[in-house]
Amino acid sequence: MVASEVFPFSKTGGLADVAAALPRALARLGHDVVIFTPRYRGVREGRVIHRGTVTLGGYRRDYALHDVPLGDHARVLLVDCPALYDRPALYHEHGVDYADNPLRFAVLSAVAVDWAATQSPGVNVLHGHDWQAGLLPIFARRLPGVATVFTVHNLAYQGTVPKHWVNDLGLSWHDFHPEGFEFHDHLSFLKAGLFHSAALTTVSPTYAEEIQTPEAGEGFDGVMRARRDRLTGILNGVDDDEWNPETDAHLPAHYSARDLAGKALCAATLRQRLQLPQPTAPGAVPLIGIVSRMVEQKGFDLLAQLRGELLSLGAQFAVLGSGEARYEQFWQSLAAEAPDRVSVTLGYDEPLAHLIEAGSDLFLMPSRFEPCGLNQMYSLRYGTVPVVRHVGGLADSVTPYRDGQPSGTGFAFHPYSAEALLASLREALQVFRERPAEWRLLQQRGMALDLSWERSARAYVRVYKGVLADR
Ligand code: ADP
Ligand code: GLC
């Protein structure tokens, strides 16, 4: 596999969690998995197992591979090349992409293919994640027996760069056409992955359908329709080693669906840490958690339209995230206006993310679009009832509560509007306040779901076997 981020070595979003969990889940099913990722600044782990030189067009780069085991039968090979990866950030600084990103990520795929070419017994499958790994199937052509698989985690990120990169990276102009990697007279890494891989997956069944429509296709809906017979939607899982309320090392107390007592202690610790007042009676003031990149994808523009309404819900908010300045400022000003109701933590904080998942009563995720979404699944696991927009992977993981029906695990709205969000939030708060027994059932049903990576990994194995059989 090739991925531009792998937890805990690097992470800006859910891709890192997936890239760490899927290899281990496949390994538990008996497969040998190696995942290539950059050795970014600050990564110390690894034992050097190989030094090499990669040549792409006019570029030559020396690198070393640092080996880190991921349990049995899975390992990470960190590609050490300081000239490319020893930077303050992963992809961009101050909103400006690193100008050599095409080279940085082309090298990553090229190194993986060079390594695969030397393996005996040989590699069966090369699996790339997101645009950064888009050139993997192009470089893999020199390994005729190998099946290529490409996973879309987010179609909004496309790696579309000026066409001089075709020459610069030593690619072929024969592929520079609409059914190759040409996209509006540019080179698109994403399109390379989509058109040149034998099989495609994305991270939920609903998103797999949505991206075939102009509304959600981000300009690639035609491509997705052209390749629909190759496309499978596979919902991500929850990594039990990292996200389990019975064992989570970041929590002051543990709990399970049978015994939720520890969750109250997590809530008290969370409020104390965020300096939110403790409620006078248990359950008197619901706590709503948000952990998110603060970008339009996540529905922050809807929240920004609801300023007064959010403060008058009689709830508290624990918000963690970072992103666009306008959304950061919105939450900062809300917290300044009502410090007893709103806490915002700007930045990236893994332990706090866990504590918010555990200590909140509700989790809010009103995404405009959501390929899968992990936080709503972590919430389900942690007995924190999700309030989501019914879209993408949110629709595939959260069953909306309907009065009198014994199936709901959360609350969902569909129209992308502040009114719809507010109505859903109000409904959730009403059930929380007035029907505690119903609420308990909502929590327990969510906690009982099978969100395991094993289920997802088996679906990936079916995809791998399908392409191997087709060759
Ligand atoms: P996306 O990948 O689109 O950002 P996901 O829900 O798939 O959305 O994954 C987000 C991941 O990033 C989760 O593991 C979440 O806990 C984590 N995360 C997001 N923002 C922060 C933050 N500010 N601090 C800590 N973890 C965060
Ligand atoms: C992307 C998507 C998110 C998904 C994650 C992991 O970042 O935005 O919905 O959960 O990838 O697949």
Side-chain angles (χ1 to χ4, degrees), residues 11 13-14 17 291-293 297-298 320-321 347-350 353 365 370 373-375 378:
K11 174 166 168 177
D17 291 3
V291 179
S292 183
R293 294 185 289 122
Q297 176 192 339
K298 301 294 179 179
L320 167 64
Y348 183 84
D349 187 334
E350 188 78 26
M365 204 160 161
E370 197 60 73
L374 294 171
N375 280 305
Y378 300 156

Side-chain angles (χ1 to χ4, degrees), residues 14-15 18 153-154 203 236 293 297-298 370-374:
L15 170 63
V18 174
H153 294 263
N154 194 331
V203 287
N236 290 329
R293 294 185 289 122
Q297 176 192 339
K298 301 294 179 179
E370 197 60 73
C372 177
L374 294 171

Side-chain angles (χ1 to χ4, degrees), residues 276-323:
L276 289 169
Q278 305 286 347
T280 45
V285 182
L287 181 52
I288 302 173
I290 295 179
V291 179
S292 183
R293 294 185 289 122
M294 292 188 174
V295 294
E296 213 195 74
Q297 176 192 339
K298 301 294 179 179
F300 276 83
D301 51 333
L302 296 187
L303 294 167
Q305 290 168 38
L306 289 174
R307 191 185 177 92
E309 289 87 346
L310 294 180
L311 291 182
S312 62
L313 289 170
Q316 291 172 324
F317 286 86
V319 182
L320 167 64
S322 64

Side-chain angles (χ1 to χ4, degrees), residues 264 267 271 278-287 314 361 429 432-434 436:
R271 285 189 166 98
Q278 305 286 347
T280 45
V285 182
L287 181 52
D361 298 300
L429 291 172
F432 176 85
R433 288 200 176 97
E434 296 172 11

Side-chain angles (χ1 to χ4, degrees), residues 260 263 380 383 385 439-448:
L260 283 161
K263 187 168 171 64
L380 290 165
V385 175
W439 191 263
R440 174 63 70 102
L441 289 173
L442 272 164
Q443 290 180 295
Q444 286 173 339
R445 282 194 293 265
M447 295 178 88

